[in-house]
Amino acid sequence: MQIENVWAREVLDSRGNPTVEAEITVKGHKIRAIAPSGASTGTWEALELRDGDKSRYGGKGVLKAVENVRGPIARALKGMDPADQEAIDRAMIELDGTENKSSLGGNAMVAVSLAAVRAGAMAEGVPVYEHVGGDHATMPVPMLNIINGGKHAGGNLKVQECMIIPAGAPSFSECLRISSEVYMSLKGILKDRYGVGAINIGDEGGFAPPVDTVDEALTTITDAVSAAGYVPGKDVFLAIDAASSEFFEDGVYFVDGLRLSAGELADHYVELTEDHPLISIEDPFFEDDFETTAELTRKVGGRVQIVGDDLFVTNSKRLSKGIACGAANALLLKVNQIGTITEAGEAAQMSFDSRYNVVVSHRSGESEDTTIADLSVGWGSGEIKTGAPARGERTAKYNRLLRIEEELGSKAKFPGVSKFRI
Ligand code: PGA
Ligand code: ZN
């Protein structure tokens, strides 16, 4: 089988910004995928190519990236085997020729890479998760972001994401049911305590209440878990993404109304893990601080998952530096941070080899595309983070996972609490 055509167009993401949709034709079928887009992006991510022409979308248009797909990428990929993901990705990497994908654009490349994995699966007549993983199917434990802060909301909460991990449930579908119930319970509590304005939502579908500190947010979520009839620390656990580069300035962290050094912030996190059933902390320190991240990992890594997002940017080079110094014990995997599925897969493999956990992740700017759901199952990552159990671009991934779980039937493995150091 051959790739007959490669095309692209500008479409909208969940924030209403333009993004790249790629379309690969195989056997007359047009297979599509859409590039996601971050707000709290890491400095070392693949470059998102934007037109800069202020007369369209305030400069955010992606017509240059679209042209790169229609022109050079299409010429390179036409005639290739759609099932050979690595050859497709390597062809794009070679054509781009830069360290950060700045020539073709990471957004152009990731849209094509995701469309290719879908086209490859179609050509082989198997679901995408099977195409990437064979028999290796594991349903992920979801991390659901139900209070949004930082760059994803308009309040005072500096920590970007407060999540629930219903890892005590026996299956993915039960996790999702519990999450929806806790989300609704939280909605009621927020309304009672802070008024109706508190149930407005942020970019990832979580509520954006007027809480000032992460401690207040986590306490409210714990109350919501109990009110929904679940036991915090047994059925449902908590996680945060501090995305701390966003509140780091001249060596100081401005968070929770405090002004903290890296060491003081580390103590702050330790206290949070003692006061709440908090089992996962993402990007605790700014994106180049491997040392303090390693210190915190040494201190609490035995019982807390420390996740590198902006720290590693799904880049094997940065990840290997982290592994060498013991910074974090989990990788946040975002395909668009590195630009291709092949490179993201290498980072996942490196993590597994070093006993680092892998959390497959969405971006705050998303779409109806569900490919990451299949990747999490096929790669057996064991964890996925894709927002609240609400809003179409988030539920698209969770709903896809429900379908996969049904399809796998008794073959569906589910790690539950065993994924965590509880
Ligand atoms: P982003 O946020 O997509 O805005 O970068 C998600 C995250 O930080 O995990
Ligand atoms: Zn993050």
Side-chain angles (χ1 to χ4, degrees), residues 47-78:
L47 180 105
E48 191 174 68
L49 189 57
R50 300 254 176 213
D51 298 337
D53 166 7
K54 296 276 186 218
S55 71
R56 302 184 70 256
Y57 290 118
K60 290 190 168 171
V62 292
L63 293 180
K64 284 183 194 157
V66 163
E67 279 313 313
N68 288 344
V69 178
R70 292 181 182 177
I73 293 179
R75 280 195 292 278
L77 267 47
K78 265 189 230 177

Side-chain angles (χ1 to χ4, degrees), residues 15 37-41 45 152 160-161 204 241 243 282 309-310 332 334 361-365 385:
R15 274 193 281 256
S37 173
S40 63
T41 45
E45 293 192 19
H152 297 165
Q160 181 178 280
E161 302 171 18
E204 297 189 349
D241 178 5
E282 181 177 329
D309 172 13
D310 294 348
L332 196 81
K334 293 166 164 168
S361 172
H362 68 159
R363 299 308 303 249
S364 52
K385 157 176 133 159

Side-chain angles (χ1 to χ4, degrees), residues 273-284:
T273 65
E274 285 161 356
D275 296 346
H276 303 278
L278 179 64
I279 60 165
S280 181
I281 302 175
E282 181 177 329
D283 281 348

Side-chain angles (χ1 to χ4, degrees), residues 79-375:
M80 288 183 80
D81 176 1
D84 194 345
Q85 186 71 34
E86 174 150 10
I88 290 168
D89 289 339
R90 298 268 175 239
M92 286 196 287
I93 291 165
E94 196 175 312
L95 190 62
D96 173 78
T98 68
E99 191 71 26
N100 66 345
K101 275 77 175 182
S102 53
S103 141
L104 294 173
N107 44 352
M109 290 173 68
V110 78
V112 172
S113 189
L114 292 168
V117 83
R118 304 187 72 84
M122 202 275 299
E124 290 190 330
V126 296
V128 176
Y129 64 85
E130 197 177 322
H131 176 50
V132 298
D135 272 345
H136 194 67
T138 301
M139 295 303 298
V141 178
M143 304 171 69
L144 300 103
N145 182 8
I146 59 175
I147 288 189
N148 292 188
K151 269 203 165 170
H152 297 165
N156 291 334
L157 182 63
K158 293 291 181 70
V159 163
Q160 181 178 280
E161 302 171 18
C162 298
M163 294 169 274
I164 48 170
I165 308 181
S171 65
F172 171 78
S173 47
E174 283 295 278
C175 284
L176 199 59
R177 178 180 63 77
I178 292 170
S179 304
S180 163
E181 291 172 11
V182 171
Y183 184 76
M184 296 310 164
S185 158
L186 178 63
K187 191 174 185 176
I189 289 176
L190 289 173
K191 221 164 148 179
D192 288 350
R193 290 187 191 169
Y194 303 94
V196 75
I199 60 167
N200 290 339
I201 58 167
D203 284 353
E204 297 189 349
F207 301 110
V211 294
D212 293 319
T213 66
V214 66
D215 182 66
E216 189 180 350
L218 296 181
T219 301
T220 314
I221 293 175
T222 306
D223 292 346
V225 169
S226 302
Y230 299 102
V231 181
K234 178 171 171 281
D235 303 317
V236 179
F237 302 84
L238 305 183
I240 58 172
D241 178 5
S244 59
S245 297
E246 304 296 336
F247 53 79
F248 179 72
E249 234 185 281
D250 298 331
V252 179
Y253 292 92
F254 295 90
V255 63
D256 291 346
L258 303 165
R259 196 179 183 284
L260 303 175
S261 67
E264 289 164 343
L265 182 58
D267 293 340
H268 188 55
Y269 290 128
V270 173
E271 227 169 86
L272 287 170
T273 65
E274 285 161 356
D275 296 346
H276 303 278
L278 179 64
I279 60 165
S280 181
I281 302 175
E282 181 177 329
D283 281 348
F285 305 100
F286 98 104
E287 61 195 350
D288 288 330
D289 190 352
F290 285 80
E291 292 86 57
T292 321
T293 307
E295 245 169 66
L296 181 69
T297 311
R298 275 195 293 278
K299 224 179 250 175
V300 300
R303 57 187 174 86
V304 180
Q305 176 173 266
I306 305 291
V307 187
D309 172 13
D310 294 348
L311 183 74
F312 297 145
V313 289
T314 317
N315 182 320
S316 297
K317 284 188 194 147
R318 289 184 67 89
L319 176 62
S320 67
K321 182 176 169 186
I323 290 169
C325 69
N329 52 31
L331 166 78
L332 196 81
L333 186 150
K334 293 166 164 168
V335 183
N336 84 322
Q337 278 183 328
I338 188 71
T340 65
I341 287 184
T342 298
E343 291 161 288
E346 283 167 3
Q349 194 53 54
M350 182 180 282
S351 305
F352 296 140
D353 292 347
S354 305
R355 300 179 160 277
Y356 271 44
N357 279 352
V358 175
V359 184
V360 170
S361 172
H362 68 159
R363 299 308 303 249
S364 52
E366 264 297 332
S367 74
E368 60 273 30
D369 194 290
T370 60
T371 313
I372 59 164
D374 283 71
L375 294 180

